[in-house]
Amino acid sequence: QSALTQPASVSGSPGQSITISCTGTSSDVGAYNYVSWYQQHPGKAPKLMIYAVSDRPSGVSNRFSGSKSGNTASLTISGLQAEDEADYYCNSYTTSTSYVFGTGTKVTVL
Amino acid sequence: EVQVVESGGGLVQPGGSLRLSCAASGFSFSDHYMDWVRQAPGKGLEWVARTRNKARSYTTEYAASVKGRFTASRDDSKNSLHLQMNSLKSEDTAVYYCARDWQTAMDYWGQGTLVTVSS
């Protein structure tokens, strides 16, 4: 199972919106609505930000939103804040009953 | 409060074995599937294994990179998860995370335990 494809880096100024793409195949992203997104600050454990494509766990800011079209999922961060600077990973359940993560995206707040 | 805490990491020679453990608390462990995820130094996340609950016969799925070498198991009586790693290779060097599986995502993660495979 190949890793899902994400841009290596995305940047934006405070207050702006950014979108991170996550491209897979019809065997993973396109197969189910089981795409999740994780935020990871340096030296810390990942944190679940979005599950089931677009749902937010309790406590996660509504500035984070998710969507999917075909084999590509997206995470949008609106009202970008300094604390959003981190690595972000997408994840999808697959038709092989396994999971696959994305390659990861470093978000920089300018 | 939900907590998962990994232990058992360390330095091991290539070809050696190591057993990781994950202690869970603050939730009904027996109801949940559990996952192992690893992260090599400076690299991205890689899913390793998923162990289902008793209702699903404790079946486990593995990533192709570890299948046949790693074995995940759980002890619901002790709220614990284990990962037996055999025939270790240098490319298995990573921080290993235990995570609770919820809604086909991983909602609670431990802080990880470092495994270093080197001679």
Side-chain angles (χ1 to χ4, degrees), chain B residues 65-79:
Chain B
S65 58
V66 306
K67 196 169 186 178
R69 300 187 300 123
F70 289 13
T71 302
S73 62
R74 60 192 292 164
D75 185 343
D76 288 354
S77 69
K78 296 182 179 178
N79 287 356

Side-chain angles (χ1 to χ4, degrees), chain B residues 7-22:
Chain B
S7 61
L11 175 64
V12 60
Q13 292 188 338
S17 298
L18 206 59
R19 187 179 191 237
L20 305 183
S21 296
C22 170

Side-chain angles (χ1 to χ4, degrees), chain B residues 21-79:
Chain B
S21 296
C22 170
S25 60
F27 65 99
S28 181
F29 179 77
S30 61
D31 289 339
H32 285 269
Y33 299 3
M34 297 293 294
D35 294 282
W36 288 99
V37 176
R38 68 184 181 183
Q39 187 169 35
K43 303 297 185 182
L45 300 174
E46 180 187 14
W47 172 79
V48 172
R50 185 194 202 202
T51 301
R52 297 182 179 87
N53 57 15
K54 182 178 181 180
R56 293 291 182 265
S57 303
Y58 299 124
T59 52
T60 302
E61 305 289 345
Y62 299 94
S65 58
V66 306
K67 196 169 186 178
R69 300 187 300 123
F70 289 13
T71 302
S73 62
R74 60 192 292 164
D75 185 343
D76 288 354
S77 69
K78 296 182 179 178
N79 287 356

Side-chain angles (χ1 to χ4, degrees), chain B residues 77-89:
Chain B
S77 69
K78 296 182 179 178
N79 287 356
S80 62
L81 183 72
H82 304 283
L83 185 67
Q84 177 66 43
M85 305 185 296
N86 298 330
S87 303
L88 283 162
K89 308 173 183 180

